Amino acid sequence: MNSISYQAPSNIALVKYWGKQGNQLPLNPSISFTLSACRTETKMALSEKIESGMDVELFFEGKRNEVFERKIIAFFQKLEGDFPFLREHKMVIHSSNTFPHSSGIASSASSMAALAMCLCGIEGGEVDLKKASYIARLGSGSACRSVYPQIAVWGKNNTISNSSDEYAIPYAEEMDEVFHSFCDTILIASSGEKSVSSRAGHALMDTNRFAKQRFAQANENLINLIGAMREGDLERFGEIVEEEALTLHALMMTSNPSFILMKPATLLMIDEIRKFREDTKHSVYFTLDAGPNIHLLYPASIQSAISPWIDEKLKPLCENGIMIKDQVGHGPSTI
Ligand code: PMV
């Protein structure tokens, strides 16, 4: 095979990975929903090589992008042992995202997962998802969770015997069906560039005074969240997920240097979500990435009931009214 195309989705962590060691190994386990609408589509074509050294051309959204190209070359150099064809061919890669570049949505998880699927698939045969997850992890930690449908767990922990720091494992089968189609409406509070890269953010945990308690909390939250999700306990799910989101931001605020990544609109949205939940008893919860945008999480069964509220109260708080309607999805596929 000399050409292959894959799409891979982004994912949203419910228990957050924040802090790493060694070669992209997590300091605590994490669990995520694999999304569906926010994804990267990547085509990789191999041809005869003329230049010496690693020969890669990278086109992002149709245009040659030399910044991304250098990153990919550095990544491929680490993978030469796993994929000898990387040394032997010229590679032309075309990549594009289904979500707007300036939406503040991180694309590293979906792009590294799509690339890992291409690398693992180009030699033919069915892709070994464990290997794809391992390769994606080397590109961007959280990307290792994006190769599986619906729900994935990454990081060695006491609850799941086959869990590993090296790759994620699929975990949807264990969970109540309500979580197989959960909705995630992403509310764009601000689309500006992040003030801290995720690499720098993880490094802040090396000196954060709450690091030890945090890693213990993440392990506990993982056990409790898995219990709640098995039982379909939405209330407990929401409590843990919101605690995780706010802890992630509390850690950033208490790091040195410190970062406040929430925006005024983020807080207004959180207030509105909690008020609506209190008033209506609807199961609506929020989580956050390392940025200001809210991921509004709720069961698909209440989608039409809460949609007028989203449009009336939350949309006006979004930058230029931008929201992305996403949902738990089926993982990567060829295109
Ligand atoms: O995969 P990275 O290095 O971009 O880190 C992702 C960190 C969070 O999104 C904040 C949490 C997570 O588990 O995805």
Side-chain angles (χ1 to χ4, degrees):
M1 204 188 290
N2 55 15
S3 160
I4 191 166
S5 302
Y6 262 97
Q7 67 78 24
S10 186
N11 70 77
I12 179 70
L14 304 170
V15 171
K16 310 288 180 181
Y17 147 59
W18 198 238
K20 62 177 167 182
Q21 61 184 340
N23 194 3
Q24 300 266 80
L25 297 167
L27 287 169
N28 66 262
S30 57
I31 181 167
S32 58
F33 280 144
T34 300
L35 297 177
S36 139
C38 291
R39 48 183 205 276
T40 299
E41 297 177 350
T42 296
K43 178 179 179 194
M44 187 166 144
L46 303 188
S47 57
E48 209 180 314
K49 190 168 125 178
I50 301 152
E51 287 183 25
S52 62
M54 185 94 36
D55 190 358
V56 178
E57 264 178 37
L58 190 283
F59 294 83
F60 180 66
E61 323 250 88
K63 277 205 210 98
R64 181 108 182 243
N65 187 317
E66 291 182 8
V67 175
F68 288 173
E69 207 167 274
R70 281 193 288 277
K71 286 189 185 168
I72 296 296
I73 290 174
F75 177 48
F76 282 180
Q77 278 164 344
K78 290 194 250 169
L79 300 178
E80 280 179 342
D82 297 276
F83 304 108
F85 68 81
L86 291 175
R87 227 176 304 128
E88 294 152 10
H89 294 85
K90 175 186 169 79
M91 283 154 289
V92 179
I93 299 167
H94 284 264
S95 192
S96 56
N97 293 333
T98 56
F99 46 94
H101 189 51
S102 59
S103 63
I105 306 289
S107 60
S108 61
S110 54
S111 59
M112 285 301 164
L115 194 58
M117 293 300 292
C118 288
L119 290 170
C120 293
I122 199 148
E123 289 183 303
E126 209 182 314
V127 169
D128 173 358
L129 292 182
K130 196 190 270 187
K131 181 168 184 191
S133 178
Y134 171 88
I135 299 296
R137 184 201 104 230
L138 296 174
S140 167
S142 60
C144 73
R145 298 185 308 238
S146 270
V147 306
Y148 298 110
Q150 297 166 319
I151 297 165
V153 172
W154 172 37
K156 189 85 203 125
N157 63 82
N158 294 334
T159 327
I160 307 171
S161 57
N162 59 337
S163 59
S164 169
D165 284 346
E166 308 258 343
Y167 48 81
I169 54 167
Y171 212 69
E173 268 180 32
E174 323 289 328
M175 304 304 202
D176 188 277
E177 273 195 13
V178 69
F179 297 109
H180 293 179
S181 60
F182 231 62
C183 293
D184 177 1
T185 299
I186 307 167
L187 307 166
I188 307 301
S190 168
S191 63
E193 280 275 308
K194 285 201 229 167
S195 54
V196 58
S197 68
S198 86
R199 179 195 294 268
H202 288 289
L204 293 173
M205 286 306 281
D206 295 342
T207 52
N208 188 297
R209 68 173 75 234
F210 302 112
K212 201 167 153 225
Q213 292 94 320
R214 161 58 192 159
F215 300 135
Q217 176 202 33
N219 277 281
E220 215 175 279
N221 277 349
L222 183 82
I223 298 173
N224 292 335
L225 185 66
I226 286 175
M229 290 176 80
R230 279 193 176 141
E231 287 163 25
D233 184 342
L234 289 170
E235 207 174 308
R236 188 82 188 104
F237 165 85
E239 267 170 36
I240 299 170
V241 165
E242 292 190 358
E243 183 188 71
E244 277 290 316
L246 296 174
T247 299
L248 172 69
H249 282 256
L251 289 166
M252 280 183 276
M253 287 190 232
T254 55
S255 290
N256 184 9
S258 129
F259 293 93
I260 301 180
L261 299 186
M262 289 193 258
K263 296 288 181 198
T266 315
L267 295 176
L268 293 173
M269 289 173 187
I270 291 175
D271 257 3
E272 180 54 42
I273 293 163
R274 289 187 160 173
K275 187 147 67 67
F276 180 73
R277 186 165 72 221
E278 184 67 33
D279 292 349
T280 64
K281 308 291 173 222
H282 274 312
S283 303
V284 290
Y285 310 101
F286 69 85
T287 189
L288 295 153
D289 253 337
N293 302 323
I294 293 276
H295 288 247
L296 182 72
L297 303 174
Y298 51 94
S301 58
I302 63 166
Q303 194 168 10
S304 50
I306 68 164
S307 155
W309 163 69
I310 295 177
D311 286 341
E312 192 194 329
K313 299 286 190 186
L314 295 174
K315 197 169 188 226
L317 297 173
C318 294
E319 188 181 87
N320 302 321
I322 298 176
M323 306 188 296
I324 300 173
K325 288 188 181 155
D326 213 333
Q327 190 160 14
V328 168
H330 305 291
S333 57
T334 48
I335 38 179

